[in-house]
Amino acid sequence: MIQRDENRYAGAKLGIWLFLFTEILLFGGLFLLYAAYLSQYPHEFASAGHEMQLAFGFANTLVLITSSMLAAMSLTAVQLREQRKALIMLGATIFCAIIFLVNKYFEWSSEINSGFYPNSPRLATGPMGEALYFSLYYLTTGLHGLHVLIGIVLLTLVSVKVSHGTIHAGNYVLLENSALYWHLVDLIWIFIFPLYYLVL
Amino acid sequence: MQHCDDLAHQKLSFWNDTGKTGISAWVFSTDHKRIGLLYLYSVLSFFLVAVTIGLLLKIELIAPGRTIMGPVTYNALFTVHGVLMIFLFIIPGFPGAFGNLVMPIQIGASDVAFPRLNLFSWWLYLIGAVTIIFSLFTGGGPPDTGWTFYVPFSVKTGTNVSLAVFGVFIVGFSSILTGINFVTTIHRLRADGMQWGRLPLFVWSVYATAWVQILATPVLGITLLLIVAERLLGTGLFDPARGGDPILYQHLFWIYSHPAVYIMILPGMGVISEIFPVFARKPIFGYKMIAFSSLAIAGAGSLVWAHHMFTSGMSDTAILVFSFLTFVVAIPSAIKVFNWVATLYKGSISLEAPMLFALSFILLFSIGGLTGLLQGAAATNIHVHDTQFVVGHFHYVIFGGAGFAFFSAMHYWLPKFYGRTYAEKPAVVAWGLLFVGFNITYFPMILLGLKGMPRRYYDYLPEFTHLNQLSTFGSWILATGLALMLVNLSRGLLKGEPIGRNPWGGATLEWTTQSPPVTENFEQEPVVTHGPYDFNGAGVP
């Protein structure tokens, strides 16, 4: 019966890739709505897009790409049996993730203070498409933020396992899969950033 | 469990090998057979509740005007009937129960690829189910939107829609994880010699189903979250007054829910493909085409969602395209039916309970499929849209198809897992009652729809009375048959005659292990040397 280590590893990798497909499809629904409403309200989307603060989005993109790199470095460190270095890299990844959420908090607060939130009086009186833009913006970045939060929990659990030595050079598939998940969170942001901040 | 005291020569089975006892040996077990039985018991419980509600709905329709309930109760009850049957019985039922029980044994594995994830899926299913049940009794009362949760009504209604759709979301997550588990298992854990061309056809159908679960369910997930957001935050995405588009909701909903129909029916087709060769004592006709057609149905079936929306307001081009694609699905379905019938040709047919259910499946599923074509064509669709015809059609597909296949699978495989078997004569009587009752219940709906009686109405014009009475009368025969079948099965499985390894003379791997199987499924690792329907190679007497 096929229960050898090599096969367990391949099975776990297949499993996480299938899961990542489902995550892409989950966000795909929101991107689909974005496409449909952009074609229906191009001008309103453009004017709403100009209200976004590019600095927040840019900073978050940098933080997230860096964190993705750190996650990959921690995997290499585990493979090279450098446990301490791996833990530092994982800690740095989690730190970046927290920075991302803090930054997001300030960004959302500033937008809510300016009166841009679903069902707000300012959007209710404005053109129809702008309200849809902000609804989609909050839903997409909110769902993405939730994934960042889940990533923080996941990476913390993995750090504990690395420090206990349960994840080591002979068995690192959980760390590798968590890093893949983290890369996906990064990747989805790479689509969110241009769609909401740059192209309009 | 006192199951096999008289079978002392056997090794301990999965029923009584564990160190743990009581309920925790079940609800925390990672054995795929125990998880499969947990799914079976839970889906059957919800099935029985939903059947009871269905009977109440039919009693309400026995005469025009109010009979036993008002319109508000009626709306809530048909919604609950639909939600329970679709999301808690038939979608999780086949993969969860029989996929878990049979598929790993059929490929020669000792368990699924991720046993703990498998248990987690069942727990998620249960949590989602409890959430849905909870939504019936709290908040504004049971949802009254129909199982499709169409906007704008689902956003405007004061009933407890948010909690119910959140429950469905959790159940959907469970379905995704099961799909991931099954695809990985089939790719990685096949026994030595179990090539793709030797996979039993049930495994092929579970494989195709698992892909649909993985690729379609996330879209339902996001759609349901959007309803909650719409209700709680007022995002306006589907509200025309705020620039949104309710048709977009229907697109997103059916992108999942049409493929979900294939999650319901594909494993059933797999069961039929297992039963026909065994009970006709012949290799299946066209193995490759049946395996391929499962994948083709899963693929083509994912492209036809908008045929639910011909009357919603789409461009004529879109209607033409979706109508064409819908007809395309009929091709692989027909390939299967022709191959099943060809398998029977010159076979040595033995008419036992599983075979009777399988044979009636072909007739009922064909009626369901052909009435489906009537709705796939735009012109006739506009005539029968939202009438009782649609209700008749999908009950023929889902109950007559998937349901009868489920009953067939219960008679065919459950003795394997209990080590004992049911009484044949009551099983045949129950089948007869079910078959006759089914047709008397649902065929009148097809006629009523053609005459113009709308669906989901609790009242109707006097000219529809006779057919409705006939249908209600049929539902009682149907219920009698169901009760007889379940009593006979549970009596037989607990107290019936012990069965040996291979009561039906099957050539797939599950019949080479003892009944009930040991925890790791096989006493020694199997090596596969012949195909699943090569009865000569199986060494069967």
Side-chain angles (χ1 to χ4, degrees):
Chain A
M1 208 153 307
I2 312 176
Q3 285 287 7
R4 294 176 286 267
D5 278 355
E6 193 185 312
N7 253 299
R8 270 186 195 286
Y9 174 79
K13 289 299 288 292
L14 181 59
I16 188 76
W17 277 105
L18 291 173
F19 177 71
L20 297 182
F21 276 140
T22 70
E23 290 280 24
I24 289 173
L25 286 161
L26 185 75
F27 280 92
L30 291 168
F31 288 131
L32 192 79
L33 285 178
Y34 181 95
Y37 287 132
L38 175 65
S39 77
Q40 213 172 336
Y41 303 102
H43 302 296
E44 292 79 0
F45 261 51
S47 63
H50 289 142
E51 302 289 343
M52 301 298 287
Q53 291 145 299
L54 187 59
F56 278 117
F58 183 66
N60 263 347
T61 309
L62 277 187
V63 168
L64 213 51
I65 292 179
T66 312
S67 74
S68 225
M69 179 188 72
L70 290 166
M73 285 167 78
S74 79
L75 176 64
T76 313
V78 163
Q79 285 168 333
L80 296 175
R81 298 173 200 282
E82 296 173 19
Q83 192 196 28
R84 226 178 77 82
K85 194 172 163 193
L87 279 173
I88 293 170
M89 292 302 163
L90 273 173
T93 312
I94 295 166
F95 179 72
C96 283
I98 292 168
I99 295 286
F100 179 93
L101 287 182
V102 170
N103 194 17
K104 193 95 241 163
Y105 168 79
F106 285 118
E107 185 185 8
W108 274 25
S109 312
S110 127
E111 279 148 5
I112 290 169
N113 283 334
S114 319
F116 298 116
Y117 54 91
N119 235 352
S120 71
R122 179 164 175 183
L123 286 175
T125 50
M128 275 179 170
E130 289 191 3
L132 293 181
Y133 174 90
F134 278 101
S135 289
L136 276 174
Y137 163 75
Y138 280 105
L139 286 172
T140 316
T141 54
L143 191 65
H144 180 264
L146 185 67
H147 279 75
V148 172
L149 202 63
I150 294 169
I152 292 175
V153 174
L154 188 68
L155 291 169
T156 310
L157 284 175
V158 167
S159 309
V160 172
K161 289 201 173 219
V162 171
S163 72
H164 287 183
T166 358
I167 291 175
H168 51 79
N171 175 18
Y172 48 78
V173 70
L174 184 64
L175 172 58
E176 192 174 1
N177 283 348
S178 308
L180 276 174
Y181 170 84
W182 193 247
H183 297 326
L184 182 89
V185 172
D186 183 20
L187 184 76
I188 288 170
W189 179 258
I190 298 297
F191 282 89
I192 294 175
F193 179 54
L195 284 179
Y196 286 91
Y197 296 80
L198 295 179
V199 296
L200 293 167
Chain B
M1 288 290 152
Q2 299 298 314
H3 263 272
C4 28
D5 285 352
D6 51 336
L7 303 169
H9 61 282
Q10 286 195 328
K11 288 193 181 176
L12 282 181
S13 74
F14 76 98
W15 287 92
N16 40 19
D17 71 314
T18 174
K20 283 185 229 155
T21 48
I23 193 150
S24 71
W26 285 85
V27 298
F28 298 118
S29 167
T30 54
D31 181 356
H32 69 94
K33 297 179 287 300
R34 291 194 176 214
I35 295 172
L37 289 175
L38 286 177
Y39 266 112
L40 185 74
Y41 301 146
S42 10
V43 298
L44 282 181
S45 319
F46 294 119
F47 174 68
L48 289 179
V49 176
V51 165
T52 312
I53 294 174
L55 288 170
L56 291 176
L57 295 173
K58 289 271 63 166
I59 292 174
E60 168 56 38
L61 289 178
I62 200 169
R66 184 193 162 107
T67 315
I68 55 166
M69 63 181 89
V72 176
T73 318
Y74 186 84
N75 286 349
L77 282 188
F78 80 65
T79 302
V80 174
H81 172 80
V83 170
L84 292 183
M85 280 293 194
I86 300 278
F87 292 117
L88 296 186
F89 171 59
I90 201 70
I91 290 182
F94 250 124
F98 287 105
N100 258 319
L101 280 171
V102 179
M103 183 274 286
I105 313 189
Q106 280 195 329
I107 63 171
S110 58
D111 207 324
V112 292
F114 311 116
R116 277 187 297 173
L117 189 70
N118 202 15
L119 178 67
F120 181 57
S121 301
W122 179 76
W123 273 100
L124 274 181
Y125 165 78
L126 200 68
I127 293 168
V130 168
T131 311
I132 293 171
I133 304 290
F134 199 62
S135 78
L136 306 180
F137 303 106
T138 53
D144 53 355
T145 58
W147 73 277
T148 53
F149 305 116
Y150 268 6
V151 296
F153 185 67
S154 62
V155 175
K156 303 282 178 207
T157 177
T159 55
N160 210 356
V161 171
S162 301
L163 198 61
V165 298
F166 189 64
V168 173
F169 175 80
I170 298 174
V171 174
F173 198 47
S174 149
S175 178
I176 292 176
L177 294 179
T178 304
I180 291 175
N181 214 338
F182 284 2
V183 168
T184 312
T185 305
I186 294 169
H187 272 273
R188 307 301 323 174
L189 296 185
R190 281 170 287 128
D192 286 340
M194 179 57 83
Q195 302 143 0
W196 285 93
R198 286 180 181 165
L199 283 184
L201 288 165
F202 180 68
V203 176
W204 271 110
S205 72
V206 167
Y207 182 68
T209 308
W211 275 109
V212 180
Q213 287 178 296
I214 293 171
L215 296 177
T217 320
V219 185
L220 177 77
I222 192 69
T223 312
L224 297 175
L225 289 183
L226 288 172
I227 297 184
V228 177
E230 189 98 13
R231 284 176 66 90
L232 298 184
L233 307 173
T235 49
L237 287 172
F238 303 126
D239 182 358
R242 281 186 273 179
D245 187 352
I247 307 287
L248 267 176
Y249 171 85
Q250 297 189 18
H251 277 293
L252 286 173
F253 181 82
W254 286 112
I255 286 174
Y256 164 77
S257 294
H258 193 76
V261 172
Y262 301 103
I263 301 181
M264 307 173 207
I265 193 71
L266 274 170
M269 293 170 155
V271 172
I272 304 304
S273 309
E274 292 293 309
I275 283 173
F276 271 16
V278 171
F279 287 82
R281 311 296 302 148
K282 263 183 73 197
I284 191 128
F285 182 87
Y287 168 89
K288 277 186 188 157
M289 285 316 280
I290 294 188
F292 161 78
S293 63
S294 288
L295 300 177
I297 289 173
S302 302
L303 303 173
V304 303
W305 72 87
H307 68 206
H308 295 266
M309 302 161 55
F310 287 167
T311 60
S312 300
M314 278 195 305
S315 74
D316 289 349
T317 319
I319 291 180
L320 198 68
V321 169
F322 280 107
S323 183
F324 172 73
L325 288 170
T326 304
F327 275 63
V328 168
V329 184
I331 297 169
S333 309
I335 287 176
K336 280 186 192 288
V337 174
F338 290 141
N339 281 344
W340 291 328
V341 176
T343 305
L344 297 178
Y345 179 66
K346 287 193 177 173
S348 168
I349 296 170
S350 127
L351 280 179
E352 289 166 280
M355 185 61 167
L356 290 170
F357 278 107
L359 282 172
S360 47
F361 167 95
I362 293 213
L363 178 72
L364 302 178
F365 176 72
S366 297
I367 296 177
L370 291 171
T371 49
L373 287 180
L374 239 73
Q375 292 165 84
T380 38
N381 175 289
I382 287 163
H383 180 67
V384 298
H385 183 83
D386 259 348
T387 65
Q388 292 282 327
F389 184 89
V390 181
V391 183
H393 153 74
F394 72 69
H395 279 91
Y396 265 94
V397 175
I398 295 171
F399 191 178
F404 271 60
F406 198 86
F407 301 152
S408 182
M410 283 167 78
H411 287 87
Y412 181 61
W413 274 317
L414 285 185
K416 180 86 215 163
F417 294 95
Y418 288 81
R420 293 170 186 276
T421 193
Y422 54 86
E424 181 65 20
K425 213 173 257 176
V428 173
V429 174
W431 164 78
L433 287 171
L434 276 166
F435 183 72
V436 172
F438 179 91
N439 283 299
I440 300 180
T441 310
Y442 297 109
F443 204 78
M445 291 188 186
I446 291 178
L447 302 177
L448 280 167
L450 288 174
K451 288 176 167 212
M453 177 177 162
R455 70 193 279 205
R456 294 183 166 168
Y457 281 28
Y458 101 114
D459 195 6
Y460 51 82
L461 296 171
E463 67 236 49
F464 299 132
T465 309
H466 290 302
L467 282 170
N468 270 303
Q469 279 173 344
L470 190 63
S471 173
T472 305
F473 173 65
S475 72
W476 298 336
I477 303 179
L478 190 61
T480 315
L482 256 183
L484 179 59
M485 181 187 81
L486 291 176
V487 169
N488 180 38
L489 272 175
S490 35
R491 259 188 68 89
L493 297 177
L494 297 174
K495 296 181 194 152
E497 289 289 307
I499 57 156
R501 283 174 188 248
N502 195 353
W504 311 116
T508 39
L509 277 181
E510 76 269 29
W511 306 112
T512 62
T513 179
Q514 66 177 36
S515 318
V518 294
T519 303
E520 302 268 288
N521 295 341
F522 299 96
E523 293 102 318
Q524 59 216 37
E525 290 181 18
V527 177
V528 183
T529 52
H530 57 82
Y533 310 107
D534 178 2
F535 295 107
N536 297 323
V540 173

